[in-house]
Amino acid sequence: MSKRLPEKLTAPEVELLSPMLKREGDRWTADFRGLTLRTALQPIYSISHKRIVGYEALIRAFDNDNSAVLPLHLFQLPDSTAENLLLDRLCRYLHIRNYSGISDQLNWLFLNVSPQVVTSGSQADSFFGQLLAKTGLPPHRIVMEIVEQPTDDAQRLRETVAYYKKLGCLTAIDDFGAGHSNFERIWNLSPDIVKLDRKLLTRATEDHKARQILNGIVSLLHQSGCLVLLEGVETHDQAMIAIDAGVDFVQGFYFRKPSTDLDQLAHAPADFDQLLQEYKTRNQVTLDPTRQLVEFFSGFFDHAITKLRNGQSMQESCLELLNHPAVSRCYLVDDKGVQIDDTLISDTGTRSLDPRFKPLESTSSADWFRQQYLRQALAQPENLHVTAPYLCVTGAYMCITLSLGYCQNGKLQVLCCDILANPATPPL
């Protein structure tokens, strides 16, 4: 672009941009600062549906020799707010023109919108409404992606997001989990979709604790009413982590790289049948130790409860349990969830005590009703229940709890036993 743009673009903005687009066969290109801009699309897959449900539109720039120019360099070219706004709108115009021409008339088109444009442009981006009217693309097929970063005008951002929703578009928060991400933004903007930053996935690949955190974030986002997309999936292991995390959608090089060959995108299947079958196999293996724990410790619990019913003390009744090298502690809870007497600590549990958490050790009269294992035992007495590994509040270590409800003198009680999740000696 040779002439300088005014600080504010005047309507009708779509007509101002139209001369910058050029048709090349079935596709459209755009000219900007001597560069040729093309649309690249990357498929987005639903794990449950096992197919493509959308595409993210990405800009690709080429110089006069048809050599690729990095997107970073392209977006450094604008030297004014007006030109930055124009480039953002030109990219969206180009993407919608191209997407309107492909055979897929069902799935979503994900469009990135610059945060600077959102907060410095008009509060109601009338350009976009004009664009949809001109191209005829239904707004319900558009997902507007807004990058997660701080903004000087949160109210303007909310109004802009509300405008896109009023048009009938879906909205998405991009790169959640990196930089300035926070749930307050989710609560304020109520996006339809949250795209998790790939850094969360990278950490989950390297650290099991980070994987648990990823699963927790997905669960919280679902409870907030958002669908969750995990981007940056590049390996088979990362695909399995995504499946296990419970995300709804995935995107990344493992499934398909972005391509300017838009005709081939419909032929970009991913073998989710094989991935899901592997997940089921792995999950079955994961569940096996749980069943084995129930089978193995059932006899221990039967002996302990028989002794309790015969009037023997907790110490005498649970001696066999406490002598097992994987067991850390045993305790008894009443039908209200309140602990009866103090906890019995095994030799293994004593060795595992961390003096830093000494204020948490005494649990006499502690109320465990909030714990699922306790409520399950109360609801289904005479059945031995077992938890997944979790962080024990009495010592901040990972444990598994076995619980069994039984009647004693007409009252329901629950015998609980904690097992170290990572004992030095295998539990079985």
Side-chain angles (χ1 to χ4, degrees), residues 15-30:
E15 298 310 321
L16 176 66
L17 297 178
S18 292
M20 303 174 70
L21 269 65
K22 181 172 62 176
R23 188 155 194 163
E24 294 183 357
D26 294 335
R27 298 288 169 254
W28 292 82
T29 62

Side-chain angles (χ1 to χ4, degrees), residues 45-66:
Y45 299 84
S46 166
I47 295 174
S48 296
H49 294 83
K50 301 184 292 186
R51 58 174 171 80
I52 295 172
V53 293
Y55 305 87
E56 180 175 3
L58 302 164
I59 202 68
R60 294 294 181 260
F62 301 87
D63 61 19
N64 290 333
D65 297 324
N66 205 33

